[in-house]
Amino acid sequence: MHTEISITLFDNKQAEEYLKSLVVETQDLASPVLRSVSICTKVEEAFRQAHVIVVLDDSTDKEVFTLEDCLRSRVPLCRLYGYLIEKNAHESVRVIVGGRTFVNLKTVLLMRYAPRIAHNIIAVALGVEGEAKAVLARKLKTAPSYIKDVIIWGNISGNNYVDLRKTRVYRYESAIWGPLHYSRPVLNLIFDSEWVKREFVAILKNLTTTGRQFGGILAAHSIATTLKYWYHGSPPGEIISLGILSEGQFGIPKGIVFSMPVKFENGTWVVLTDLKDIEISEQIMTRMTSDLIQEKLVALGDKIHFQPYQSETELRKKDKRISLLITDDSQEEQVSDGHKDLVPDEEKNLVMSAEYPIGTVAHTCNPSNLGGRGLRIA
């Protein structure tokens, strides 16, 4: 027997008409589990006796022009939400944070401002998982649902690492065939390692840079699936990626929200620290954690500027490339105004790529929704 649910859509007064249209669409579903759907635009009434709260991207009329402004703009709303959740929500409330922008940061801020229920606040990573599975399925000419155990490490909406070392495919049509529970490692079936290193990364990057990442259907399915696992448990033996507060597992610094492998059981999750052969290199780990630590520090005002992580090797390469552009004053004076830019386009690209090396993530700010999403530079 399914439990009936009542949904309340909360936003500011300016969004009331849009919320009303969502109410009508939701009612049109004629779902047997939907008891009621309503709207709320009064702050003091938000989250009243809520058992589940889903936090998505927010919007504002205030313009922001820098990444630092974007990061700091998350704090007032998360502080307000944290206060209201502790004041109004049910004592056993579960909070799921999704969206396209600063997912890890919003989650850790909500934990900070709603400390009593911090253990029940999580960030959804299944959207990134689903994208990776779909790309792999197209390569292998199979169904995305047949691919399991893709691990997403790090910043869900920014600098993350898609780990395929434990990924397996079931019901794969090949010379070797077995029962439904028979599976094979994906990396053993993709013989072109360059495809994994380059094209696979490039396809996922394109989803992000074109804004097609986390569309409405994918976001809704990811949240619903995470919620189902939270209440009823995840499939036995399956690895699930989830953004949770680090307690030092896998060498991840404490106090940041980080996506890592878990399983759901008995109404909670368990971090899969016993997995073999999933060590992350120090450079990759440092790159991911550095961004998350800086996001938190900048948002809370403990750091003024956000500086993307660069290894010593990358810094040396950057210095070498920049040195190619330096000319003395006498050389510059001999150049006519129409030919001052002596650096060819390909050299400009090299200089730009020195700031964000291949495979890393730069943050971009989207003033329309106070957001920033990870942009893979390739």
Side-chain angles (χ1 to χ4, degrees):
M1 181 178 179
H2 294 290
T3 302
E4 290 186 334
I5 61 173
S6 296
I7 298 175
T8 300
L9 306 175
F10 171 63
D11 207 330
N12 56 38
K13 188 69 175 177
Q14 289 75 15
E16 186 170 6
E17 290 304 313
Y18 176 66
L19 293 181
K20 288 179 179 179
S21 68
L22 288 179
V23 168
V24 174
E25 286 188 46
T26 307
Q27 291 171 335
D28 290 346
L29 294 173
S31 172
V33 300
L34 181 63
R35 175 179 294 179
S36 66
V37 56
S38 59
I39 65 173
C40 175
T41 57
K42 295 181 179 179
V43 172
E44 63 274 14
E45 294 295 322
F47 315 130
R48 183 74 66 186
Q49 286 301 300
H51 290 83
V52 175
I53 296 172
V54 179
V55 179
L56 301 174
D57 291 320
D58 54 276
S59 59
T60 181
D61 295 330
K62 180 182 177 181
E63 288 188 313
V64 292
F65 299 99
T66 68
L67 171 62
E68 289 79 7
D69 287 339
C70 287
L71 293 169
R72 295 184 185 111
S73 71
R74 323 314 296 180
V75 175
L77 202 57
C78 287
R79 183 189 295 119
L80 174 63
Y81 283 177
Y83 166 76
L84 292 171
I85 290 170
E86 289 210 332
K87 178 175 181 287
N88 293 342
H90 192 274
E91 61 181 10
S92 65
V93 65
R94 304 182 184 198
V95 181
I96 296 179
V97 182
R100 301 184 183 188
T101 59
F102 301 124
V103 173
N104 296 54
L105 176 63
K106 289 184 295 186
T107 306
V108 79
L109 289 176
L110 286 173
M111 291 174 174
R112 178 185 180 91
Y113 296 117
R116 285 195 314 220
I117 54 100
H119 61 285
N120 265 5
I121 303 177
I122 61 176
V124 176
L126 290 185
V128 186
E129 243 189 71
E131 290 176 338
K133 289 177 180 179
V135 175
L136 292 169
R138 287 192 287 271
K139 176 67 173 178
L140 295 172
K141 295 180 173 56
T142 188
S145 61
Y146 296 167
I147 296 176
K148 310 291 184 183
D149 303 340
V150 173
I151 302 176
I152 308 300
W153 298 93
N155 191 344
I156 295 165
S157 52
N159 190 354
N160 54 56
Y161 172 52
V162 180
D163 190 346
L164 304 181
R165 288 174 293 178
K166 294 293 182 181
T167 306
R168 305 186 69 86
V169 58
Y170 292 76
R171 303 171 65 176
Y172 185 63
E173 296 184 10
S174 66
I176 302 175
W177 188 259
L180 293 180
H181 63 270
Y182 175 75
S183 65
R184 301 173 67 185
V186 162
L187 293 179
N188 287 357
L189 298 173
I190 300 177
F191 303 106
D192 184 1
S193 61
E194 287 301 308
W195 181 90
V196 176
K197 295 177 183 177
R198 298 187 179 278
E199 191 172 343
F200 177 65
V201 173
I203 294 171
L204 293 179
K205 174 207 71 174
N206 187 56
L207 291 172
T208 300
T209 56
T210 58
R212 294 201 300 270
Q213 183 190 39
F214 302 128
I217 294 176
L218 177 59
H221 177 73
S222 301
I223 291 168
T225 303
T226 302
L227 189 59
K228 180 180 72 173
Y229 290 168
W230 201 349
Y231 275 96
H232 303 294
S234 54
E238 190 169 325
I239 300 173
I240 307 297
S241 300
L242 185 69
I244 58 175
L245 189 66
S246 169
E247 297 179 354
Q249 306 96 326
F250 307 107
I252 302 165
K254 295 181 179 180
I256 59 174
V257 169
F258 201 90
S259 179
M260 61 183 79
V262 307
K263 65 178 178 180
F264 285 90
E265 61 181 14
N266 302 321
T268 187
W269 61 87
V270 177
V271 180
L272 299 176
T273 54
D274 57 346
L275 290 176
K276 305 296 184 182
D277 303 320
I278 59 167
E279 292 78 13
I280 304 295
S281 73
E282 183 179 352
Q283 183 174 341
I284 293 176
M285 183 64 76
T286 302
R287 190 184 299 283
M288 291 189 290
T289 56
S290 174
D291 277 4
L292 289 170
I293 291 169
Q294 284 195 83
E295 283 185 0
K296 183 179 176 182
L297 291 175
V298 171
L300 294 174
D302 297 324
K303 187 177 177 66
I304 297 175
H305 299 295
F306 183 95
Q307 297 176 323
Y309 168 80
Q310 291 179 298
S311 67
E312 293 183 5
T313 301
E314 293 159 357
L315 287 172
R316 286 196 296 268
K317 288 181 179 179
K318 180 180 178 181
D319 291 341
K320 183 177 180 180
R321 286 165 179 165
I322 290 177
S323 68
L324 297 175
L325 304 179
I326 299 176
T327 58
D328 58 40
D329 294 338
S330 61
Q331 287 176 312
E332 187 172 351
E333 290 173 359
Q334 297 174 17
V335 181
S336 66
D337 290 341
H339 298 84
K340 279 189 177 181
D341 191 357
L342 296 178
V343 184
D345 289 341
E346 58 267 28
E347 278 297 316
K348 291 180 182 177
N349 291 336
L350 285 176
V351 175
M352 290 298 293
S353 68
E355 295 187 15
Y356 301 105
I358 291 174
T360 65
V361 173
H363 289 269
T364 60
C365 178
N366 181 356
S368 66
N369 65 0
L370 279 183
R373 56 178 178 269
L375 172 63
R376 297 180 185 273
I377 305 300

